[in-house]
Amino acid sequence: MNRLMLNKTILILSTLAAVIGVGFLFWILITLSYKGIMAIHWTTFTHDLVEGGIRNLLVGQFTMAILASVIAVPVGMMAGIYLREYGHGSKLAAVIRNLSDVMMSAPSIVIGVFVFAILVDPFGGYNGFAGIAALAIMMIPIIISTTDNMLGLVPQELREAGIALGGSKHKIILQVVIKAAKVGIMTGILLSFARIIGETAPLLFTSANNQFFTMNLTEQFPSLTVSIYNLATYPDAPSRDLAWAASFILTVIVLIINLFGRFVVRNKK
Amino acid sequence: MGGKLFRNFSFFSATLSFFLLLGIFAVLFHYAQDAIHTFGIDFLWTDTWEADEDDEGGVFGGLIPIVGTLLSTLIAMLIATPMAMGIAIFLTEIASEKVAKPVSIAIELLAAIPSIIYGMWGLFYFAPIVQKTVGGDGVGLLTAGIVLAIMIIPFMASITRDSMNTTPAVLKESAYAMGATKFEVIKDVIMPYAKGGIIGSIILALGRALGETMAVAFLIGSVMQLPKRITDPTTSIPVLLANNFAEAEGLELSSMYYLALILFVVSFIIISTAKFYFFGRKAKA
């Protein structure tokens, strides 16, 4: 094969790979939308799982994801601030940065096992708090990494200007640096929220699932994703249909938050 | 005063990831003690997983889930690596900006879809196709591997694209000026320049594939047997944990912790390798 032919072959194969990649996205989205929309009924949103709806599951999933964010966002941001503003250049910061990246890729099921050992087993049963903890552990490293990277983009001159005006370090961080990096950090928060709201593995044996509506975090807590896993494996058609409906709604939620994070927030500058 | 408090809280938060990692390791190790004492290192190549009826003992070995994890990951990597490279080449070198942008977004959306959706879609739409074309039960190693590949391609492709994009235009232009074809530029200029990032992305994707639970749980068949053919159902470490961890007791539960520990340590090593060796210390001064 001469080199021009080889060139052409590789370019065609690469284009083909991209076509297949995009093709899969459409294939998944189209089949999911078809199955999901067919299965959705207005009672899907007004009834709880026990009556064939997903109201309690949606509320439960959002409750856990939001409360996990309430823990993970401040902790992750503060850690990112330390890495970039206080410990910058130090060996400790470099080590922590790397460990945090390792945490970010830790298998989610292992985090579930860990939380089971410390928050489920000793307290005698699955509970909502354990689910929140598992999701927060997944979210913290993502927030750390985003904050760290976004603060890194803030020009040094801004900090120096703050110092020149006589601002104390934490005031400069809060009122100058964070403000300058606000948009990027918001995007990161939204993207990581979109990621944890679709997590299943860390919830399987932490929050587990609940057929009924509850806001009591000390008992088994309703989860949309865990329900999808259970429902999809039942042999009866209504359960499967509900699993499709729930999957469709979950995907729409995740993709909307994702697109919102990517475009609206980014363009608001 | 407020400054000091702020600084301390910030420092405490930063050290948290260190303590979490340490804590996970310690807790898994602690609960795996029984299994580690009973089976030792032989656990890795024992292919029995049987609980006694009468008490909480039994014989447990990790070989089947370990092999299942490795093989499904291998299949996924063999498919995903060339595909992801192709997509990255398409995005950086072939497509005009007008095409590359929407394709990039589509690929990133593919990465955002929760893994349980891939599992469910794979079970109802992809498994029947595999069954029709290559035989078997539909669920099994091959199906799990392919859907796993679809899941990690977007992730791998976007990191590879980013590192390919860092190649200075001057280098590429000089090669073109010498009469190099596009492929030669990619092979001899871009690939060597972006090598670290590309290999790093492959290793990170490998780590993801090893630990992936939900997509595989739907598709691998969850059967405790060593696969003889590529279409055979088997199980993997995350899937075994997902399906059986909650009901296990005694020595079996401890063996599950042992498996979780193995998975955790292996992915720790893989990710650290990718980080330290190939990405270098990205943190710019």
Side-chain angles (χ1 to χ4, degrees):
Chain A
M1 206 192 290
N2 72 41
R3 45 191 286 268
L4 292 180
M5 283 283 286
L6 181 69
N7 180 48
K8 220 169 199 156
T9 316
I10 295 292
L11 295 189
I12 290 172
L13 286 178
S14 299
T15 310
L16 200 64
V19 171
I20 293 173
V22 176
F24 267 112
L25 177 73
F26 281 105
W27 189 9
I28 293 173
L29 288 184
I30 288 168
T31 48
L32 187 66
S33 310
Y34 171 75
K35 280 283 192 180
I37 291 169
M38 295 290 279
I40 290 178
H41 193 251
W42 65 275
T43 54
T44 311
F45 298 100
T46 54
H47 287 185
D48 294 335
L49 180 60
V50 67
E51 303 161 320
I54 60 167
R55 181 182 70 132
N56 67 327
L57 306 177
L58 277 173
V59 173
Q61 192 85 8
F62 267 99
T63 305
M64 286 195 286
I66 289 170
L67 290 178
S69 311
V70 168
I71 302 170
V73 170
V75 171
M77 274 182 69
M78 288 304 274
I81 288 172
Y82 180 80
L83 294 185
R84 189 57 66 172
E85 303 295 327
Y86 289 111
H88 191 52
S90 73
K91 207 158 196 168
L92 180 72
V95 170
I96 288 174
R97 182 176 285 132
N98 284 319
L99 288 180
S100 158
D101 284 352
V102 171
M103 272 300 293
M104 188 154 57
S105 310
S108 53
I109 189 90
V110 172
I111 291 171
V113 169
F114 168 69
V115 173
F116 175 88
I118 59 164
L119 287 178
V120 176
D121 209 16
F123 295 95
Y126 304 121
N127 60 79
F129 287 114
I132 293 168
L135 293 182
I137 292 175
M138 302 232 31
M139 197 176 184
I140 288 172
I142 314 179
I143 305 280
I144 294 181
S145 157
T146 314
T147 310
D148 184 20
N149 291 332
M150 290 303 144
L151 294 183
L153 296 178
V154 176
Q156 200 56 37
E157 288 79 5
L158 273 183
R159 297 186 182 87
E160 284 159 7
I163 298 168
L165 287 174
S168 60
K169 181 125 186 167
H170 76 285
K171 284 240 165 84
I172 296 171
I173 293 172
L174 285 173
Q175 292 173 4
V176 179
V177 182
I178 292 284
K179 257 195 187 141
K182 198 173 59 187
V183 176
I185 295 174
M186 267 309 285
T187 307
I189 292 173
L190 282 173
L191 291 185
S192 59
F193 185 81
R195 162 122 192 253
I196 62 157
I197 196 143
E199 279 292 343
T200 315
L203 297 178
L204 283 174
F205 26 77
T206 51
S207 70
N209 196 15
N210 198 329
Q211 291 199 299
F212 301 94
F213 187 94
T214 180
M215 274 299 186
N216 181 356
L217 288 166
T218 60
E219 55 183 37
Q220 285 193 223
F221 211 67
S223 155
L224 186 65
T225 48
V226 175
S227 299
I228 293 175
Y229 185 49
N230 295 338
L231 288 169
T233 49
Y234 292 154
D236 61 307
S239 293
R240 276 193 192 171
D241 283 346
L242 193 59
W244 280 113
S247 301
F248 174 69
I249 293 161
L250 176 68
T251 309
V252 169
I253 292 170
V254 168
L255 293 186
I256 286 178
I257 298 175
N258 220 281
L259 288 172
F260 183 76
R262 267 169 219 284
F263 303 109
V264 182
V265 181
R266 204 165 275 173
N267 292 338
K268 224 162 139 188
K269 251 181 203 168
Chain B
M1 168 57 195
K4 198 153 194 190
L5 199 71
F6 186 79
R7 194 200 153 101
N8 286 344
F9 181 43
S10 148
F11 176 74
F12 167 77
S13 302
T15 51
L16 194 70
S17 36
F18 170 72
F19 287 113
L20 267 177
L21 263 180
L22 200 72
I24 293 176
F25 182 82
V27 165
L28 295 181
F29 189 73
H30 172 75
Y31 283 93
Q33 275 305 306
D34 274 354
I36 294 173
H37 277 303
T38 317
F39 306 117
I41 195 81
D42 286 345
F43 184 79
L44 296 178
W45 42 84
T46 305
D47 65 352
T48 325
W49 189 279
E50 273 174 14
D52 292 343
E53 290 287 327
D54 44 344
D55 61 1
E56 294 193 333
V59 180
F60 304 101
L63 185 70
I64 296 170
I66 290 172
V67 167
T69 309
L70 293 179
L71 287 180
S72 56
T73 303
L74 179 72
I75 296 171
M77 295 306 291
L78 288 178
I79 299 169
T81 311
M83 286 280 296
M85 296 304 124
I87 292 174
I89 291 173
F90 175 80
L91 290 177
T92 53
E93 301 304 315
I94 300 174
S96 64
E97 189 145 340
K98 245 168 104 184
V99 179
K101 205 159 179 211
V103 174
S104 281
I105 294 169
I107 299 286
E108 267 159 41
L109 287 185
L110 206 49
I113 295 177
S115 61
I116 188 159
I117 306 293
Y118 281 95
M120 185 145 161
W121 173 83
L123 179 65
F124 292 109
Y125 281 94
F126 201 71
I129 294 175
V130 174
Q131 188 173 22
K132 243 181 247 159
T133 47
V134 291
D137 302 333
V139 291
L141 264 184
L142 184 64
T143 317
I146 296 174
V147 174
L148 202 46
I150 301 171
M151 268 195 66
I152 57 175
I153 284 171
F155 172 75
M156 219 193 239
S158 50
I159 303 184
T160 304
R161 176 203 57 196
D162 291 346
S163 33
M164 282 182 171
N165 267 338
T166 58
T167 316
V170 174
L171 286 184
K172 291 192 265 183
E173 283 153 10
S174 337
Y176 282 127
M178 303 288 290
T181 62
K182 220 165 213 177
F183 172 62
E184 285 160 350
V185 172
I186 293 164
K187 177 170 67 93
D188 298 326
V189 180
I190 298 176
M191 286 291 189
Y193 194 87
K195 195 171 63 192
I198 294 174
I199 297 176
S201 82
I202 294 174
I203 298 180
L204 283 182
L206 176 73
R208 273 210 177 180
L210 281 176
E212 173 52 39
T213 311
M214 297 323 292
V216 185
F218 275 100
L219 299 169
I220 202 164
S222 309
V223 181
M224 253 304 183
Q225 65 173 26
L226 283 172
K228 292 189 187 65
R229 282 166 309 163
I230 195 168
T231 49
D232 279 352
T234 179
T235 193
S236 74
I237 298 177
V239 173
L240 182 69
L241 291 172
N243 291 333
N244 301 69
F245 183 80
E247 286 100 55
E249 280 179 349
L251 193 56
E252 184 173 17
L253 183 63
S254 181
S255 304
M256 298 260 185
Y257 277 110
Y258 198 176
L259 281 175
L261 180 67
I262 293 170
L263 184 65
F264 183 62
V265 171
V266 169
S267 50
F268 182 92
I269 294 171
I270 288 176
I271 301 154
S272 313
T273 315
K275 281 289 301 172
F276 291 100
Y277 193 64
F278 293 105
F279 286 122
R281 298 204 181 247
K282 256 200 305 192
K284 290 144 225 143

